[in-house]
């Protein structure tokens, strides 16, 4: 079992100047709050656009397998080569006034759509905003990039920007289906001259603060695009159904640099198979509770698992939940833990169902793994204090067909 | 001050730089003062202030990334901790997992409090603490290799 040391030893003591500065702050709260209120009144919303998971600066040769890869503890990168048969080449390039967008390739296994792209912009001294939207099968599924999670700008410095889209399709597509994707990329650039402010020192006098604020407001009023300490100072709010890019265009804060539309047909490749024998749920009966594995579906890009812990009484359910500091599944391939698979999911909160059952639902998705193993084991794990504990009696082992 | 040590640990755990810690703490305290009327339940002041401080630290991190070359991004505290190896290992843990881990196991907040500070469900907090411990254990193993 793994043991962790006392984490308090990781932290240095607060130095005297930190405590002194904190005391100074408390002694001058009114004065300091006046300066801060002025800054808050100007900065309303930070609007920017999110590039997809895996966005990075790189040179050439980017593709969907690279976007789905991982780096191990030795710094070696690994690509999921087993997914190569499922890759669909797109290889479409769009050239606009100031940027070039290349859509490389994609994988769609019916449950997930992953697509890799590269954007290059001219060498300029202004930031680019990238916003995309994808509508699948005439609106059956749609997703957008940059929606309300904002905060990245990409300076058009001539270096390529690699990115990827990876989204869950809900409802899922079946084998033999095709994901018809209407994809739009909107690239914006600031409307006015870009001006960068570094922020104001907290030791600035009242007069210096006033001067700084006046200059900043004057630039905003003159229609310049102001960045303060790296973040845009814009007064805007999105209307209902409006994207951040739409808001910036509506308010004339930014203008379109380029806009691309692509109509893609990406067939579903690979198959989704149930790892439950005969498709039937599996049950483990233990003292005081029963565990049922309701779903275990394996597709090229992921393993989806749904299970349920059921208890005879509410007291038993509550006691179990409190005793387990955590509740997670890890994967074993032929009994060996897999270090690099990603997992997302959770044990839900204890629930009393409408028909009076006491259950803890568990939903997990595992991605980014390749295996030649014959079996997958879902091993529950928890931490008791600093010690990791597994529960083999609660584990389900499934044969990979 | 009783709160100073706790605020310092939260800030240094995110920022790593003493100078940034002082700035972020001051901003957080002033912000809490400005918005003090929003706090309806005074007994939640400590967790409320912690949340403000965490948000301020994250703002500082975003500003720092825009202005510093990559080689200067890995700041270390000026004052050495009792276990520098443990500090180094902890910094390798993704912040999404490191923060709930330290709030629970260093600052002593229970799961419900950590969930409130980070605006997460309790289940998500438990999962992130679990992932944080796994990552820390792996990082410590690497540190111990000759």
């Amino acid at each position: 079992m793994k043991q962790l040391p006392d984490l308090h030893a990781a932290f240095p003591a607060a130095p005297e100047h930190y405590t002194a500065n904190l005391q100074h702050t408390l002694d001058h709260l009114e004065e300091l709050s006046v300066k801060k209120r002025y800054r808050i009144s100007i900065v309303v919303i930070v609007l920017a656009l999110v590039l997809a998971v895996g966005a990075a600066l790189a040179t050439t040769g980017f593709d969907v397998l690279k976007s789905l890869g991982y780096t191990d503890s030795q710094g070696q990168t690994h690509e999921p080569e087993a997914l190569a048969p499922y890759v669909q080449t797109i290889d479409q390039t769009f050239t606009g006034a100031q940027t070039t967008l290349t859509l490389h390739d994609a994988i769609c296994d019916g449950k997930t759509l992953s697509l890799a792209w590269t954007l290059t912009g001219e060498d300029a001294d202004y930031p680019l905003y990238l916003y995309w939207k994808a509508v699948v099968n005439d609106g059956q599924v749609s997703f957008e990039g940059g929606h309300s999670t904002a905060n990245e700008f990409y300076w058009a410095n001539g270096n390529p920007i690699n990115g990827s889209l990876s989204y869950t399709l809900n409802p899922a597509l079946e084998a033999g289906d095709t994901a018809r994707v209407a994809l739009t990329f909107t690239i914006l650039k600031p409307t006015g001259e870009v001006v960068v402010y570094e922020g104001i020192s907290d030791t600035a006098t009242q007069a210096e603060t006033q001067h700084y604020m006046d200059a900043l407001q004057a630039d905003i009023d003159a229609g310049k695009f102001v960045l303060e300490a790296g973040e845009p100072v814009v007064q805007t709010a999105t209307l209902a159904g409006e994207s951040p890019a739409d808001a910036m265009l509506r308010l004339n804060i930014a203008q379109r640099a380029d806009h691309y539309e692509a109509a893609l047909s990406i067939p579903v490749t690979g198959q989704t198979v149930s790892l439950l024998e005969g498709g039937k749920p599996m049950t483990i009966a233990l003292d005081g509770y029963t565990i049922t594995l309701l779903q275990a579906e394996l597709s090229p890009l992921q393993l989806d698992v749904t299970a349920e812990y059921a208890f005879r009484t509410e007291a038993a359910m509550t006691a179990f939940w409190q005793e387990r500091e955590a509740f997670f599944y890890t994967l074993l391939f032929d009994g060996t833990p897999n270090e690099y698979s990603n997992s997302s999911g959770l044990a839900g909160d204890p629930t009393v169902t409408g028909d009076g059952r006491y259950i803890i639902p568990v939903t997990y998705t595992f991605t980014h793994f390749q295996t030649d193993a014959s079996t997958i084991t879902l091993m529950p794990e928890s931490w008791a204090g600093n010690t990791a504990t597994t529960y083999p009696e609660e584990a389900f082992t499934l044969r990979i067909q | 001050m009783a709160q100073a040590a706790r605020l310092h640990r939260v800030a240094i755990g995110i920022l790593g730089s003493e100078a940034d810690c002082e700035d972020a703490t001051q901003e957080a305290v002033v912000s809490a003062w400005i918005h003090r009327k929003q706090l309806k339940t005074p007994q939640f002041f400590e967790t409320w202030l912690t949340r403000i401080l965490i948000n301020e630290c994250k703002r500082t991190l975003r500003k720092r990334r825009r202005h510093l070359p990559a080689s200067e991004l890995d700041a270390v505290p000026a004052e050495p901790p009792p276990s520098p190896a443990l500090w180094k290992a902890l910094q390798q843990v993704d912040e999404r997992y490191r923060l709930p881990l330290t709030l629970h196991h260093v600052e002593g907040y229970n799961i419900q409090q950590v969930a409130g500070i980070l605006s997460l469900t309790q289940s998500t907090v438990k999962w992130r603490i679990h992932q944080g411990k796994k990552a820390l254990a792996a990082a410590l193993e690497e540190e111990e290799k000759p």
Side-chain angles (χ1 to χ4, degrees), chain A residues 275-299:
Chain A
L275 300 185
L276 299 177
E277 201 167 324
K280 295 178 185 171
M282 297 168 66
T283 300
I284 297 173
L286 297 168
D287 185 20
Y289 60 104
T290 303
I291 313 162
T292 303
L293 183 62
L294 298 165
Q295 176 198 51
E297 292 190 349
L298 181 65
S299 59

Side-chain angles (χ1 to χ4, degrees), chain B residues 6 46-47 50 103-105 107-111 113-114 117:
Chain B
R6 184 181 57 79
E46 190 179 302
T47 51
T50 303
L103 287 174
H104 184 55
H105 284 288
E107 304 311 326
Y109 292 117
N110 62 34
I111 299 295
Q113 288 171 317
V114 174
I117 290 169

